[in-house]
Amino acid sequence: MNNATQHWDPQAARAAGGLYLAIAICGGFSIGYVPMQIVAADGAISSANLLANRGLFQLGVLADSAVILFELAITAILYQMFRHVGPKMAMAALISRAGMITVMGINLLLWVMPYVLLTQPTERDTAQLHAMVQFCFEAQAMGVFIWQLFFGVHLLALGWLILKSDVVPHLLGKGLFVGAFGYLIQGIAKLTFVDVAAINYTFIALLVIVSISEISFGLWLLIRGGRLTPKTHQSASVAA
C-alpha cells in the first residue's frame, strides 16, 4: 500500500476542509469587508469611521482572532496529513504557514491599537492622534503583503505535496502551486512599491486561480476527503 494512502486520516481531512471554509468566511469578512468600511485615506475620517462602527470593528477583531486560531489548527493537521508524502517539504509548509500566523498576530495588534488610542484618555492633540491612527492602519495593510509571502511559500510546498500524493486530485495541487506565485508577486510588488500594469494583471489572474483552488481543496477535503476514490483504492491494492 502506498505510504501516503496508508497514513491518510479521513477525520483529519474533514476537519481541515471545515477549517478551510471557516477561514475563508472569517477572513473574507475581517480582511475584505471591515477595512473597507473603516479605513480611509485621511486619519480624521478613519478615526470617525472607527468610532461610528465600533460594533463592526469588534466583530472584525473577533473574526481575525478566529482566523489565527483556525490557522494554528489547520497548520498542524496539514502537516500530519502530508508528512509521509515528503517530510522535508511538509516541514517547509508548516514553518512557512507558522511564519504567516506570526505576522497575522502582529497585524491584529496593529489593527486594535487605533481603537485603544481613540477610546483611552490621552494628552495628545487631535491631529497627532489621527496621524497615529492612520499610521497603524497603513502598517497593518502592509503587513498583509508580508504574510502573503509566507503563505505563497506554504502553497508552493502544499501544491508539491498534493502532486506527489495519490490521494488528492492533482488538478488542485497544480492550482495551488501555480496560484501561489500570485501571493508572492503581489507581496513583493507592493512592498517594493512597484506599480506596473502587466505585473498587476498577472498577480490578479494568479490570485483568482489560487482562490478557486483553495476553496475547491477545502470543499474536496470536507466532502470527499474522508473517502478514498476507487482509483486510489485500486492503486493502493496494486502497491500492496
Side-chain angles (χ1 to χ4, degrees):
M1 179 179 289
N2 180 276
N3 198 32
T5 305
Q6 182 180 0
H7 291 90
W8 186 260
D9 186 345
Q11 291 185 342
R14 284 191 287 266
L19 287 169
Y20 256 110
L21 299 182
I23 289 171
I25 294 171
C26 293
F29 175 72
S30 64
I31 299 174
Y33 178 74
V34 176
M36 293 176 59
Q37 309 305 312
I38 294 177
V39 182
D42 178 76
I45 298 176
S46 297
S47 299
N49 289 341
L50 192 158
L51 294 175
N53 295 277
R54 294 192 187 193
L56 179 65
F57 178 84
Q58 291 167 337
L59 283 176
V61 172
L62 180 62
D64 262 337
S65 301
V67 167
I68 291 175
L69 296 177
F70 293 157
E71 286 286 356
L72 288 171
I74 199 172
T75 300
I77 293 173
L78 289 175
Y79 175 74
Q80 184 269 333
M81 288 169 59
F82 288 99
R83 63 190 176 94
H84 300 287
V85 178
K88 292 182 180 179
M89 196 62 73
M91 181 59 68
L94 182 147
I95 292 173
S96 55
R97 194 152 189 161
M100 178 195 74
I101 296 169
T102 302
V103 178
M104 282 183 164
I106 297 172
N107 255 17
L108 181 57
L109 175 62
L110 289 171
W111 180 253
V112 170
M113 285 309 299
Y115 186 87
V116 175
L117 290 170
L118 292 172
T119 57
Q120 298 297 318
T122 179
E123 296 181 356
R124 299 183 181 90
D125 61 65
T126 302
Q128 184 183 26
L129 191 63
H130 291 167
M132 294 177 66
V133 166
Q134 194 68 9
F135 171 80
C136 288
F137 281 145
E138 291 178 1
Q140 188 270 346
M142 294 303 291
V144 172
F145 301 121
I146 295 175
W147 68 247
Q148 281 187 355
L149 297 178
F150 287 96
F151 192 48
V153 174
H154 167 81
L155 290 176
L156 286 175
L158 181 60
W160 185 92
L161 289 166
I162 291 175
L163 291 173
K164 292 296 180 180
S165 169
D166 62 353
V167 181
V168 184
H170 284 187
L171 181 62
L172 297 177
K174 292 177 182 177
L176 293 177
F177 188 89
V178 173
F181 289 97
Y183 285 111
L184 294 172
I185 294 172
Q186 184 186 38
I188 293 172
K190 295 297 184 180
L191 290 171
T192 56
F193 304 98
V194 173
D195 187 12
V196 178
I199 294 177
N200 294 338
Y201 291 137
T202 299
F203 71 65
I204 289 173
L206 291 170
L207 288 175
V208 170
I209 293 173
V210 77
S211 297
I212 295 173
S213 300
E214 284 184 84
I215 294 174
S216 299
F217 181 47
L219 288 172
W220 185 89
L221 288 171
L222 188 62
I223 299 171
R224 290 288 308 178
R227 297 181 291 161
L228 298 183
T229 63
K231 180 179 179 181
T232 303
H233 279 299
Q234 183 179 1
S235 63
S237 299
V238 172

